[in-house]
Amino acid sequence: MRLHFAHRWLAVRASFWFVPGLMVLGAALLAGIALTIDSAIAGSDMPPWIYAGGADGARALLSTVAGSMVTVAGVGFSVTIVALVLASTQFGPRLLTVFMRDLTSQVTLGSFTSTFTYCVLVLRTVTGTADQANPFVPQLAITIAIVMTLLSIAALVYFFHHVAVSIQAPKVVSAVARDLNHGIERLYPHRIGQPGPEPEPEAIPQPMTDAVITAEASGYVQVVDDERLLQLARDHDLVVRLMTRPGLFVVDGHPVIVARPASRISRPVAAALHDTIIVGDVRTAEDDIEFSIRQLVEVALRALSPAINDPFTAMAAIDWLGAALARLAREQFPSRYRYDEDGRLRVVADVSTFGGVTHTIFSRIRHYGGSSPVVLNRLLESIVAFGPHVSDEADRQLVRDEMEAVLQTGRTEISSEADLRELERRHRAALAALGEVVAD
C-alpha cells in the first residue's frame, strides 16, 4: 500500500495542477484570515504602509489585478506549452516529464492563479461607496493583494528566464543526467533479501507446472515492490519467480509471476502477489534505471538525426552516460536469486545488469552515429572514464566487445585515414583503461 501511495504521489507531483491547486487553496485560506483580521481591527489606526484608499479605489485595484493575473496566467501556460512542444520535437516526447515536474514552472503558474483567486475573494467583501458613511474596505487584505501582485510580477520575469535557460540542449542533458544520478542513489545499493548462488533448475518455478499469476491489463511495468514480494513469499512459504521487470511491456493475460507450491496460492494470496506489480500506460524512471539511460540515449540519437545534425549535444549525452556507467560499475546490482534469513530460496527475479545497460548505450549510438568520427571517439573516451571502475570480468569482456564493435564500425564507415588513426589511438587508450597491455 505504501508503494502504491508513493507511486501516485510521484505521478501527482509531475502534473501542472497539483502545486497550483494547493496555492489556490492557500490563497483562499489567506483571504479568509486577512478579512477576519480586517473585521476585527476596523476603525483602528493603521501603519502608513497599509492601504488607505476608499471603497471605489479598492474595487478598481482588485478588479485590475484579478483581470491582469488571468491574462498573465494564460500567457504563462502558452509559453509552457510552446516549450513542451519544442522539447518534444528536439529531444523526444519521453523527456516531457522532466519539464512537467519542474517546480519553478508549477509555482509560477500557481502564483498567478492564487493571486487571481485571492483578489476575487477579497473584492466581494468591499462594500459601500465614497458617499456612504461606513464603507468596509479590508485594508490589510488589499495590502496583501498588492504584495502578492509584486511577487507574481517577479515570478513572471524569473519564469521567462528559467524557460529560456531550461530548453537549451546542455541544460536538458544535465537535467536528465541528474534524474539518472538520483535514480542510481535511490535504487543502488538495493539489498533485497539475502543474495545466494544460482539454484538447481528444478528449484525454479515453471509456468507449465506451477501456479501462474497473469497480468490484468496490458502496459508497461512501472514498479515492482520487491520487499513486499519477498515478505509474501516468506509468510506463505513460497518460491516466487518474477517473469518481468520494470520497463518491460506485459500483455493482458500473460504470466507475470509463477509461484510454488500451487496448493498455497489461494485467491487472496494471488491478489496480494499481483498487487506487488504496478502496470501503467508509459514507462517511468521511478523503479526503472534503464528508462533514464534510454532518455539520454534518445537525446543523443535525435541530435544525430539528419533533421537536427547536432553532434555536440550527442557528445554531451555520451559524457553523462559515461559518468553514469562509472557509478553503476561501482555499485552492487541486486541479486537475481533472493534467499531469506534461513537460507531458503524465496524469489527469482528478472533484473537489469551492467552489461545490459552498457549494450543499450553503445549499440544504439554506434548504429546511428557510426559515420561520425567525433561520436565514435567520444564513445571510446567514455570507456576511458568508466573502464577502470569495472571489476567483474564478464562485464569487462562485454565492454571489450562493445569497444571492438566501435572500432569495426569506424573502419567500415570512416573514409578519412586521419580520422581512422585518431579512432585507433582512442581505442588503445580504452584498452589501457580496462587493464590491457597495449603495444605501441
Side-chain angles (χ1 to χ4, degrees), residues 89-90 299-315 368-369 371-375:
T89 302
Q90 184 169 357
V299 171
L301 299 186
R302 282 182 171 265
L304 293 172
S305 66
I308 298 176
N309 192 22
D310 181 13
F312 294 101
T313 296
M315 292 163 63
Y368 290 98
S371 60
S372 175
V374 294
V375 171

Side-chain angles (χ1 to χ4, degrees), residues 5 22 35 39 45 57 83 91 101 105 110 122 124 171 173-174 196-197 205 232 290 296 298-299 306 345 356 389-390:
F5 176 79
L22 288 180
L35 291 171
S39 300
D45 293 333
F91 305 112
R101 199 171 54 242
S105 300
V122 173
R124 67 183 180 84
K171 287 292 184 179
V173 173
S174 63
L232 288 170
E290 292 186 20
L296 277 175
E298 182 176 7
V299 171
L345 179 66
H389 302 285
V390 182

Side-chain angles (χ1 to χ4, degrees), residues 98-112:
V98 176
F99 291 91
M100 293 186 65
R101 199 171 54 242
D102 181 57
L103 187 60
T104 299
S105 300
Q106 296 175 357
V107 171
T108 301
L109 298 175
S111 67
F112 303 148

Side-chain angles (χ1 to χ4, degrees), residues 294-374:
R294 288 172 182 267
Q295 283 184 313
L296 277 175
V297 171
E298 182 176 7
V299 171
L301 299 186
R302 282 182 171 265
L304 293 172
S305 66
I308 298 176
N309 192 22
D310 181 13
F312 294 101
T313 296
M315 292 163 63
I318 294 172
D319 289 339
W320 285 108
L321 287 168
L325 287 175
R327 290 199 58 183
L328 287 173
R330 296 192 296 266
E331 300 292 351
Q332 181 66 42
F333 279 67
S335 173
R336 183 185 180 193
Y337 306 104
R338 299 161 187 176
Y339 294 76
D340 61 14
E341 293 82 357
D342 300 326
R344 302 184 63 181
L345 179 66
R346 291 302 182 190
V347 176
V348 179
D350 185 0
V351 297
S352 299
T353 63
F354 178 83
V357 171
T358 304
H359 180 70
T360 296
I361 295 171
F362 277 77
S363 62
R364 286 159 175 76
I365 297 179
R366 182 180 70 244
H367 176 74
Y368 290 98
S371 60
S372 175
V374 294

Side-chain angles (χ1 to χ4, degrees), residues 372-388:
S372 175
V374 294
V375 171
L376 296 181
N377 286 336
R378 208 58 155 218
L379 285 173
L380 295 179
E381 287 179 2
S382 70
I383 295 178
V384 175
F386 73 81

